[in-house]
Amino acid sequence: VTSMGYMFASASAWLASFARVDGTSSADGPPSAWHHILAPSPCDASAPPSNGGAGDCSSSLGSGSTCQPTCNAGYTVSGTSSCSAGTLTAATCSANSCTASSISSKDGSDGIFYCINGGTVGGTTGSCVCTLCDAGYGGASCQTVGACGASTDPSATGSDGNFYCINGGSVGGTAGSCTCTSCNAGYSGTNCQTASACTASSVSSKDGSDGNFYCVNGGTIGGTSGSCTCTSCGAGYEGASCQTSSTCSANEYVSSNVCTTCPAGTTNAYGDNASGD
């Protein structure tokens, strides 16, 4: 036989499974000039990638072929799996960056994580975090509201847990819902900021800090808590609380509880009590 091409003319597939020993492309020569080419081994691509599925990959992926595995939610496939003479190059699934959600059940297993109240989401699928919460909030998802604290800053609204609460008020509640109650006597209002009008008292220790002010002998009370006044004292009295009897100077006498200058040509010693007490 001198023509291998003639011998295999009706068996092209069979011919393709043989090659020349000398490496040439000639189709001539005896059988000893040829050797059989073994078919390349397939690959087993049926094992799914970590955090994914096998997709259309099988246990007998032919050499030179590719298949497409799949990835779970929150993961991205690197490409296709390929086979080369029995050696499998397998695709992998990579974790995505986490994204924030307002749904409390989102635990990050699919890359979506519950993160609210200004928190910044970070990490990758399966390892999400929520940090840098707004002031007044904490917890793994910034979901925990902190207790309110008192502030002397009138602009402190409580949104961050700091609430304007003065004049002895007791702050309560949590960030965003703060309260200021139990104001000192003489004060009221949402922040205990409103001073009450003063009222007169006959108790000498009342200094007006609670809105009650020592004001006697016909004095007229005025002002608000912390700034009380007692004016227009009754005739013959003076002082911050109209508590002091007026004392006439020398050459004055008392007339209708008023110190009056003595008539010309008359004198009077210092010390007459104008109140009549």
Side-chain angles (χ1 to χ4, degrees), residues 55-269:
D56 61 9
C57 297
S58 68
S59 61
S60 58
L61 180 64
S63 179
S65 299
T66 62
C67 64
Q68 185 63 70
T70 60
C71 292
N72 297 338
Y75 294 85
T76 299
V77 68
S78 62
T80 58
S81 295
S82 61
C83 179
S84 177
T87 300
L88 178 69
T89 301
T92 58
C93 292
S94 300
N96 297 338
S97 296
C98 297
T99 57
S101 172
S102 59
I103 300 173
S104 60
S105 61
K106 287 298 184 181
D107 61 1
S109 59
D110 62 355
I112 302 174
F113 191 62
Y114 181 46
C115 187
I116 55 175
N117 294 315
T120 300
V121 74
T124 56
T125 301
S127 302
C128 298
V129 294
C130 180
T131 58
L132 303 177
C133 314
D134 281 345
Y137 295 88
S141 296
C142 297
Q143 80 284 9
T144 304
V145 184
C148 297
S151 171
T152 56
D153 181 358
S155 66
T157 63
S159 60
D160 62 354
N162 294 308
F163 192 60
Y164 182 47
C165 187
I166 55 175
N167 295 315
S170 296
V171 73
T174 53
S177 301
C178 298
T179 59
C180 180
T181 58
S182 303
C183 312
N184 283 343
Y187 295 88
S188 61
T190 303
N191 308 97
C192 296
Q193 80 282 11
T194 304
S196 304
C198 297
T199 55
S201 172
S202 59
V203 178
S204 61
S205 61
K206 289 298 182 180
D207 60 2
S209 57
D210 63 355
N212 294 305
F213 190 64
Y214 180 47
C215 187
V216 292
N217 298 313
T220 299
I221 195 76
T224 56
S225 296
S227 301
C228 297
T229 60
C230 179
T231 59
S232 304
C233 308
Y237 294 92
E238 57 187 23
S241 297
C242 298
Q243 77 283 10
T244 304
S245 298
S246 299
T247 301
C248 295
S249 301
N251 298 320
E252 288 184 334
Y253 70 101
V254 177
S255 175
S256 299
N257 298 108
V258 175
C259 292
T260 305
T261 301
C262 294
T266 63
T267 61
N268 192 32

